[in-house]
Amino acid sequence: LKNKKLKYLMNNKYYLRFLNESEYNLWDDFVENCENGSVFNKSYWLQPLFNFKSASLKILGYYDKSKKLVAGFAFGQKIKFKLIPIIFPPVLTPISNLVITPLAKSLESKKESYNSKIITSFINFLEKKYKLLSFTFDQDFKDIRSFIWKGYKENIRYTYRSNITDL
């Protein structure tokens, strides 16, 4: 590994690392091409919101062995009381998803296992670096078992969608 601070080797197939600011356009393209990505995950939306809160935008990428970005999570980072590193979701934003490229396999159990492995990897990595973690997922992020199994407190709220194209 070139820079041990930037990469966290998961196994021979996957690794986690923070994206540099110069890679944020790649992140925005990745978000655009993912099913569960939205404008609320893009750097140009998040950067001003975190600057407003005197925080910095961090994007943690999950890469496969071919160095292809397959998942990621954008969040705000701040040091509270000059001592406690925390992450938090952006203000004025309804969601802050983990963006994951869906697995092509047809079996639902394989998809769930794949997502769970990625989510658990993110949790384990973030828990080593931060003392307080706060997430706000959208209504399509249905499987929160990885968080429950790690002891996170969940607060489920409901969001409704309507089709407004036919007024």
Side-chain angles (χ1 to χ4, degrees):
L1 298 176
K2 290 181 182 176
N3 187 340
K4 291 181 181 178
K5 291 181 181 178
L6 292 179
K7 289 185 181 179
Y8 175 73
L9 190 61
M10 302 303 304
N11 55 37
N12 292 334
K13 294 182 181 180
Y14 299 98
Y15 67 92
L16 285 161
R17 77 168 177 85
F18 286 104
L19 278 70
N20 297 317
E21 197 165 335
S22 63
E23 297 174 296
Y24 285 2
N25 60 334
L26 299 171
W27 167 253
D28 293 339
D29 291 343
F30 173 75
V31 169
E32 185 70 32
N33 293 313
C34 278
E35 289 177 14
N36 68 330
S38 77
V39 68
F40 302 119
N41 301 109
K42 294 191 176 185
S43 64
Y44 60 79
W45 172 268
L46 296 169
Q47 190 80 54
L49 296 174
F50 289 126
N51 288 344
F52 174 73
K53 292 298 252 176
S54 300
S56 59
L57 170 62
K58 293 290 184 185
I59 301 174
L60 184 59
Y62 187 88
Y63 293 83
D64 66 12
K65 65 182 173 185
S66 65
K67 299 182 181 177
K68 179 183 175 193
L69 183 64
V70 295
F73 181 49
F75 56 89
Q77 172 185 285
K78 196 172 193 175
I79 306 295
K80 286 291 223 181
F81 312 113
K82 298 182 182 182
L83 187 64
I84 305 168
I86 65 169
I87 69 167
F88 59 94
V91 297
L92 305 173
T93 303
I95 57 171
S96 63
N97 273 349
L98 278 161
V99 181
I100 301 173
T101 303
L103 188 62
K105 300 205 187 260
S106 60
L107 291 175
E108 194 61 33
S109 62
K110 296 282 185 195
K111 292 177 186 177
E112 287 178 7
S113 176
Y114 170 79
N115 286 346
S116 178
K117 180 176 73 170
I118 291 173
I119 293 165
T120 302
S121 297
F122 275 103
I123 293 169
N124 291 338
F125 179 84
L126 293 170
E127 284 179 341
K128 289 179 182 177
K129 264 186 98 49
Y130 300 96
K131 299 295 179 208
L132 176 66
L133 307 169
S134 179
F135 308 96
T136 306
F137 300 122
D138 75 3
Q139 63 275 8
D140 292 329
F141 193 87
K142 294 180 176 33
D143 191 356
I144 61 170
R145 289 178 293 180
S146 297
F147 292 96
I148 294 169
W149 295 336
K150 293 288 283 180
Y152 283 81
K153 177 183 165 194
E154 74 279 352
N155 186 358
I156 307 296
R157 296 184 180 131
Y158 293 92
T159 301
Y160 300 93
R161 289 186 186 176
S162 295
N163 184 353
I164 60 171
T165 57
D166 184 17
L167 296 176

